[in-house]
Amino acid sequence: MREARLTIAFDADDTLWHNENLFEEHHRKYCQLLAEYHDAETVESTLFRTEMRNLELYGYGVKSFTLSSIETAIKLTDGAIPAEELRRIIDFGKDMLAHPVELIEGAAEAVEALSRQHELILITKGDLRDQERKIAKSGLAPYFKHIEVVSNKNNEDYARLFRQHLIDPQSLVMVGNSLKSDILPILELGGTGVHIPYHLTWEHERVEAAPKHHSKFHEIASIKQLQDLIASL
Amino acid sequence: MREARLTIAFDADDTLWHNENLFEEHHRKYCQLLAEYHDAETVESTLFRTEMRNLELYGYGVKSFTLSSIETAIKLTDGAIPAEELRRIIDFGKDMLAHPVELIEGAAEAVEALSRQHELILITKGDLRDQERKIAKSGLAPYFKHIEVVSNKNNEDYARLFRQHLIDPQSLVMVGNSLKSDILPILELGGTGVHIPYHLTWEHERVEAAPKHHSKFHEIASIKQLQDLIASL
């Protein structure tokens, strides 16, 4: 169906622009800040548990991460951490929010080229304000017919979105770096999943293995290969 | 046009359910926490300035408010506040997020009755996860054709939303408690605004005066009067 018009949905963070590297940088500075109290492994695992416990209440995003980082630092130091160091954690978070958007190599070209033949939508998870800012900074917004910021990406969330936009999942291709959030739910709904791994994956997004034998699952190493793959579908 | 089908858009916080009272309660506890350092007036005005400075970066909502509250407490105590007291501020925020939704008297009845003749949409500003949770807890979701959580409510935000849903602002009625966010932009776009004041208004949402002489502006004291007003339009 080389000539057919498809709906191609893109994830944003770590698919179109770098994101997880900012969190990695925060983690590094955070472990340094708490180094006199605990080793990095204890800090990381306690922070992760705090984040998971708060996920239902806070949702995803930098503000949630900052609040969980402060809570963890207080807990790990039995309240001994000086307020000024907690202030530095707030500043780490602000730096992340104010950070420029760094597009992944080839992302702008792929989106622009594919938008000429297909209908593109952007489906991104996280904090509304932060995602909107990143979308605006990316310069890619004009190529997308719909831009959806969602609080979660499970089967029901996608199904609701597709109903709302009258999209048949069978003719939808979703492109993303997270097997758990971008690929597996789409395959279950009957769509096509194109996985482009990012070199970093947040522990929460990790799954056991890629569904390599699923007929509608594809994996490419770089978004630069996306046009060719789409043309071959 | 008593028989006509209108599109009626509702604000949510302090229009359908109580919200500002939770913030007031947080302010009270927060001023108490900092009472040994500063009087309530200084605490309030410094917190408000911090919130306004962070608004562009953080957006609206409880998580933003909590982060600004922590930042302000550190600043107002020159870093002398013990971490455990900052932990209490985090807990205040969690309490707000976990709080049950308390519908405003008459809101459920008004929404249910109006949904039988008109198309209802919900347009609410704030944190995505928190707003979705409140909408779910409210039990009112089934009455709305569209539910939109937006990061801001100015003329352009509304115009984009109406274009997206093919809504003619001329035939739209917006119901809300904030003149600044719910009423003035709608009047400017040619729609009808129904103002239902709430007994508390956040300083940021205050405007000088209601546009009392605008032909499409209406003010009622309670949502219980909404059905009669809509019928009279």
Side-chain angles (χ1 to χ4, degrees):
Chain A
M1 54 189 199
R2 192 173 275 264
E3 298 300 315
R5 189 174 166 83
L6 298 166
T7 299
I8 307 177
F10 284 85
D11 168 56
D13 287 343
D14 299 324
T15 297
L16 297 177
W17 52 72
H18 296 278
N19 176 62
E20 193 57 29
N21 61 339
L22 293 180
F23 282 89
E24 286 275 318
E25 171 69 8
H26 177 114
H27 276 269
R28 201 186 51 73
K29 291 191 286 184
Y30 184 71
C31 286
Q32 221 165 36
L33 192 76
L34 294 172
E36 59 178 296
Y37 303 96
H38 289 283
D39 59 76
E41 201 183 318
T42 306
V43 172
E44 290 283 12
S45 65
T46 312
L47 174 57
F48 184 70
R49 282 200 306 275
T50 309
E51 282 186 89
M52 290 304 102
R53 208 170 43 239
N54 288 338
L55 191 56
E56 173 63 26
L57 211 53
Y58 285 165
Y60 297 92
V62 172
K63 285 179 295 186
S64 307
F65 179 58
T66 305
L67 285 168
S68 289
S69 300
I70 295 171
E71 181 182 333
T72 304
I74 297 172
K75 184 192 168 120
L76 278 174
T77 63
D78 283 325
I81 189 164
E84 269 310 326
E85 303 207 348
L86 298 177
R87 166 69 204 229
R88 287 187 56 204
I89 298 174
I90 293 180
D91 290 340
F92 294 166
K94 286 189 181 180
D95 288 347
M96 290 174 78
L97 291 171
H99 201 277
V101 166
E102 291 166 352
L103 290 179
I104 284 174
E105 212 189 319
E109 296 76 5
V111 164
E112 191 190 346
L114 288 165
S115 75
R116 283 192 226 114
Q117 191 183 347
H118 305 287
E119 186 169 289
L120 309 190
I121 63 179
L122 189 71
I123 308 176
T124 176
K125 177 174 81 174
D127 181 76
L128 186 59
R129 178 105 196 121
D130 190 28
Q131 293 294 336
E132 286 183 350
R133 179 175 27 234
K134 288 193 277 189
I135 292 161
K137 282 184 187 169
S138 77
L140 300 180
Y143 300 111
F144 293 95
K145 186 179 179 200
H146 300 297
I147 293 176
E148 295 285 344
V149 181
V150 295
S151 67
N152 217 341
K153 281 182 165 181
N154 58 33
N155 293 18
E156 296 74 46
D157 300 310
Y158 281 114
R160 192 174 48 241
L161 213 61
F162 297 155
R163 271 198 309 274
Q164 189 187 324
H165 293 302
L166 309 174
I167 291 167
D168 175 7
Q170 296 283 341
S171 67
L172 177 115
V173 180
M174 174 93 193
V175 181
N177 71 299
S178 169
L179 289 169
K180 182 176 170 183
S181 295
D182 305 321
I183 306 300
L184 297 180
I186 297 297
L187 294 178
E188 283 206 32
L189 291 171
T192 299
V194 178
H195 185 221
I196 312 178
Y198 188 71
H199 67 282
L200 302 166
T201 304
W202 182 31
E203 191 175 342
H204 176 64
E205 294 290 336
R206 284 178 205 153
V207 291
E208 290 300 319
K212 290 198 188 294
H213 301 294
H214 193 294
S215 64
K216 296 185 115 183
F217 174 76
H218 304 272
E219 189 167 281
I220 52 180
S222 158
I223 199 166
K224 294 179 188 175
Q225 298 158 8
L226 185 60
Q227 262 188 278
D228 285 348
L229 174 69
I230 298 282
S232 76
L233 288 180
Chain B
M1 55 190 200
R2 194 173 273 265
E3 299 300 316
R5 190 174 166 81
L6 298 167
T7 299
I8 308 176
F10 284 84
D11 168 57
D13 287 343
D14 299 326
T15 296
L16 296 178
W17 51 72
H18 297 280
N19 176 62
E20 193 59 30
N21 62 337
L22 293 180
F23 282 88
E24 286 275 317
E25 171 69 7
H26 176 114
H27 277 267
R28 201 187 50 73
K29 292 191 287 185
Y30 184 71
C31 288
Q32 222 165 33
L33 193 76
L34 294 172
E36 57 178 298
Y37 303 94
H38 290 284
D39 60 76
E41 203 184 317
T42 306
V43 172
E44 290 284 12
S45 65
T46 312
L47 175 57
F48 184 71
R49 282 200 306 275
T50 309
E51 283 187 88
M52 289 305 101
R53 207 169 45 239
N54 289 338
L55 191 56
E56 173 63 26
L57 210 53
Y58 285 165
Y60 297 92
V62 173
K63 285 180 295 187
S64 308
F65 179 57
T66 305
L67 285 168
S68 289
S69 299
I70 295 172
E71 181 182 333
T72 304
I74 297 172
K75 184 193 169 120
L76 278 175
T77 63
D78 283 325
I81 190 165
E84 270 309 327
E85 304 208 348
L86 298 177
R87 165 69 204 228
R88 287 186 57 206
I89 298 174
I90 292 180
D91 290 339
F92 294 166
K94 287 190 180 180
D95 289 347
M96 290 173 78
L97 290 171
H99 202 275
V101 166
E102 292 166 353
L103 290 178
I104 284 174
E105 211 188 320
E109 295 77 4
V111 164
E112 191 190 346
L114 288 165
S115 74
R116 283 190 225 114
Q117 191 183 348
H118 306 286
E119 186 169 287
L120 308 190
I121 62 179
L122 189 70
I123 308 176
T124 176
K125 177 174 80 173
D127 181 77
L128 185 59
R129 178 107 196 118
D130 190 29
Q131 292 295 336
E132 285 183 351
R133 182 179 20 239
K134 287 194 278 189
I135 292 161
K137 281 185 187 168
S138 77
L140 300 180
Y143 300 111
F144 293 95
K145 186 178 179 202
H146 300 296
I147 294 176
E148 295 285 344
V149 182
V150 296
S151 67
N152 217 341
K153 280 182 164 179
N154 59 31
N155 293 18
E156 295 76 44
D157 301 310
Y158 281 114
R160 191 174 49 239
L161 213 61
F162 298 155
R163 272 198 308 275
Q164 188 187 326
H165 293 302
L166 308 174
I167 292 167
D168 174 9
Q170 296 281 342
S171 67
L172 177 114
V173 180
M174 173 93 193
V175 182
N177 71 297
S178 169
L179 289 169
K180 181 176 171 183
S181 295
D182 305 321
I183 306 300
L184 297 180
I186 297 297
L187 294 178
E188 283 206 32
L189 291 171
T192 298
V194 178
H195 184 221
I196 312 178
Y198 189 70
H199 68 282
L200 302 166
T201 304
W202 182 30
E203 191 175 341
H204 176 63
E205 295 290 337
R206 283 177 206 154
V207 292
E208 289 300 321
K212 290 196 189 296
H213 301 294
H214 194 293
S215 64
K216 296 185 116 184
F217 173 76
H218 304 272
E219 188 167 279
I220 52 180
S222 157
I223 198 166
K224 295 179 187 174
Q225 298 157 9
L226 185 60
Q227 260 187 279
D228 285 348
L229 174 68
I230 297 283
S232 77
L233 288 180

